[in-house]
C-alpha cells in the first residue's frame, strides 16, 4: 500500500474515510430509476440516467430539487414542492437497490486495510437510513466502524464536520487520516479538514474530471492503492 504511505508521511494511515456513491458503489442506475419514477408520478418528464449522474453528490434533497428544475441549478424550485417530491423519492428509492454494484478493487482494498488494522469509515451525503443496508447488500457490511450519512449531522460535505467527528471518535490526527472520494465535495471537505485526499476518476463529479479539484492523488481504480 505504498501510495497510501506516501500520502501519510511514510506510515499507513490509521483511519481511512470513504465516500459511498461513485466511490465504493455505482448507485446511479438505482437513483435514476427512483428519480424517474418520482418525476412520472408527478406528471413530469423522466430525466434519464446520464442526467441523474450529473446531479448526484449533494444528498437526496438537492438531487430531488435538481430533478424538479431539470437542471443542476435549482434555486427557483419551490420548497413545498420539493418537500412533497422528496418524500416520494425517499419512499421509492427504498425499493430500488437491485442495480447498485461495487466498483472493481473496492473489496480488495478494504480487506487489505482491515487486515492491517486501519480503522474504516463511510462519510456520505446519502441519507443515513440507506447506507448500512446498501453496504450489507454489496458485501461490505462488516468493514466500517463509523457511518455518517447526509442527515446524520446538521452539515454535509463539503463541510468538514463529519470528517472531524470521525477523526475525533477514532482519536487520530488529520495527518494520520485519509479521505477517498469521487467529487468536488469530497476534495473540499478533506481540504477543509486538512486530510489528504485520494479521488477516483470513475465516479460522479457533475460531469467534470475530478482532477480539476486538485486532490492529492487521482486513481482509476482503488486497486492502485494496494
Ligand atoms: O447521495 C449523494 O448525493 C451522494 O452521496 P456520496 O456523498 O456518497 O457521493
Ligand atoms: Mg460520491
Amino acid at each position: 500500500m505504498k501510495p497510501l504511505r506516501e500520502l501519510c508521511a511514510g506510515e499507513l494511515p490509521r483511519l481511512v474515510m470513504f465516500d459511498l456513491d461513485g466511490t465504493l458503489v455505482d448507485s446511479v442506475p438505482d437513483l435514476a430509476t427512483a428519480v424517474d419514477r418520482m418525476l412520472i408520478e408527478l406528471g413530469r418528464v423522466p430525466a434519464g440516467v446520464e442526467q441523474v449522474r450529473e446531479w448526484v453528490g449533494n444528498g437526496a434533497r438537492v438531487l430531488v430539487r435538481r430533478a424538479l428544475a431539470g437542471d443542476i441549478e435549482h434555486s427557483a424550485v419551490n420548497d413545498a414542492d420539493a418537500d412533497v417530491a422528496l418524500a416520494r423519492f425517499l419512499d421509492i428509492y427504498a425499493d430500488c437497490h437491485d442495480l447498485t454494484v461495487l466498483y472493481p478493487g473496492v473489496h480488495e482494498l478494504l480487506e487489505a486495510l482491515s487486515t492491517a488494522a486501519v480503522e474504516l469509515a463511510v462519510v456520505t451525503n446519502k441519507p443515513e437510513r440507506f447506507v448500512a443496508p446498501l453496504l450489507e447488500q454489496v458485501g461490505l457490511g462488516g468493514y466500517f466502524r463509523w457511518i455518517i450519512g447526509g442527515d446524520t449531522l446538521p452539515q454535509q460535505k463539503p463541510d468538514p464536520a463529519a470528517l472531524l467527528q470521525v477523526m475525533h471518535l477514532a482519536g487520530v490526527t488529520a495527518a494520520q487520516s485519509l479521505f477517498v472520494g469521487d467529487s468536488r465535495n469530497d476534495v473540499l471537505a478533506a481540504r477543509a479538514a486538512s486530510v489528504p485526499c485520494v479521488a477516483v476518476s470513475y465516479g460522479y463529479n457533475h460531469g467534470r474530471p475530478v482532477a480539476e479539484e486538485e486532490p492529492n492523488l487521482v486513481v482509476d481504480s482503488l486497486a492502485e492503492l494496494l
Side-chain angles (χ1 to χ4, degrees):
M1 290 185 274
K2 192 164 159 237
L4 297 186
R5 287 202 175 81
E6 282 171 0
L7 288 167
C8 297
E11 306 282 338
L12 264 192
R14 288 180 53 196
L15 167 70
V16 181
M17 294 172 276
F18 288 89
D19 170 68
L20 179 59
D21 294 299
T23 299
L24 299 178
V25 297
D26 185 12
S27 48
V28 152
D30 279 323
L31 287 166
T33 301
V35 164
D36 282 350
R37 281 191 199 157
M38 172 201 80
L39 287 170
I40 290 164
E41 265 192 28
L42 296 171
R44 292 164 179 255
V45 182
V49 71
E50 289 316 315
Q51 194 65 261
V52 171
R53 187 182 308 277
E54 297 197 358
W55 295 340
V56 170
N58 297 83
R61 178 174 294 276
V62 172
L63 175 60
V64 164
R65 292 182 64 90
R66 286 172 173 157
L68 294 179
D71 194 80
I72 194 150
E73 214 302 292
H74 57 84
S75 55
V77 172
N78 174 283
D79 288 343
D81 290 348
D83 285 346
V84 171
L86 177 62
R88 283 309 300 137
F89 170 79
L90 293 174
D91 253 17
I92 296 167
Y93 184 57
D95 287 328
C96 295
H97 33 72
D98 293 350
L99 305 177
T100 296
V101 292
L102 271 189
Y103 288 110
V106 169
H107 203 271
E108 293 83 344
L109 178 64
L110 295 176
E111 191 57 36
L113 289 170
S114 58
T115 301
V118 176
E119 298 271 26
L120 303 175
V122 168
V123 177
T124 172
N125 282 348
K126 195 179 207 66
E128 185 184 320
R129 76 192 84 162
F130 299 120
V131 181
L134 187 58
L135 292 171
E136 196 65 49
Q137 179 201 322
V138 295
L140 301 184
Y143 286 111
F144 300 100
R145 178 134 177 225
W146 299 283
I147 293 174
I148 311 272
D151 51 0
T152 306
L153 301 177
Q155 310 85 350
Q156 292 193 339
K157 297 174 293 180
D159 191 291
L163 286 68
L164 297 174
Q165 163 134 337
V166 175
M167 284 154 51
H168 175 73
L169 292 171
V172 300
T173 65
Q176 295 168 324
S177 307
L178 189 76
F179 195 86
V180 183
D182 70 320
S183 80
R184 173 176 173 76
N185 289 323
D186 299 316
V187 180
L188 292 177
R191 188 174 298 142
S194 303
V195 170
C197 185
V198 176
V200 297
S201 60
Y202 53 75
Y204 325 134
N205 186 39
H206 314 295
R208 307 198 58 90
V210 72
E212 285 179 7
E213 317 301 339
E214 302 187 351
N216 300 81
L217 178 68
V218 179
V219 293
D220 296 329
S221 161
L222 290 186
E224 288 175 37
L225 299 177
L226 283 170

